[in-house]
Amino acid sequence: MSEEKLLELAESGEWKDRAIELLQQKTNACLDVIQSFVCDHWQNLASDEENLYNFEIYESEYQEVYAY
């Protein structure tokens, strides 16, 4: 996605819905984990690939914490 489109989504507030939708499509994570990541860690102007990579790390750490 172009930087211009990412900026437009960030300014309009539509980035959150797009981020949730993207993570639902690209991962098998539960909605609670996705929403938590989007609210606290999603970087609006970072690439989808970078955010997906960061989500993978977040999800693995989340699973480690809640596996006990």
Side-chain angles (χ1 to χ4, degrees):
M1 182 168 287
S2 71
E3 285 186 34
E4 184 178 307
K5 182 65 176 170
L6 289 172
L7 184 57
E8 181 182 317
L9 287 171
E11 290 174 348
S12 72
E14 294 176 20
W15 67 270
K16 189 178 279 189
D17 292 334
R18 182 187 171 280
I20 290 170
E21 183 178 312
L22 177 72
L23 290 172
Q24 286 178 315
Q25 290 174 357
K26 300 284 185 177
T27 70
N28 292 323
C30 69
L31 185 57
D32 289 343
V33 175
I34 289 173
Q35 289 176 329
S36 176
F37 177 81
V38 169
C39 288
D40 297 333
H41 302 287
W42 188 268
Q43 298 295 312
N44 292 339
L45 299 180
S47 69
D48 290 346
E49 292 79 17
E50 185 176 346
N51 277 310
L52 286 168
Y53 174 77
N54 290 333
F55 178 76
E56 289 174 7
I57 294 168
Y58 176 83
E59 184 182 24
S60 69
E61 291 173 355
Y62 183 93
Q63 288 175 352
E64 284 180 27
V65 168
Y66 289 101
Y68 297 105

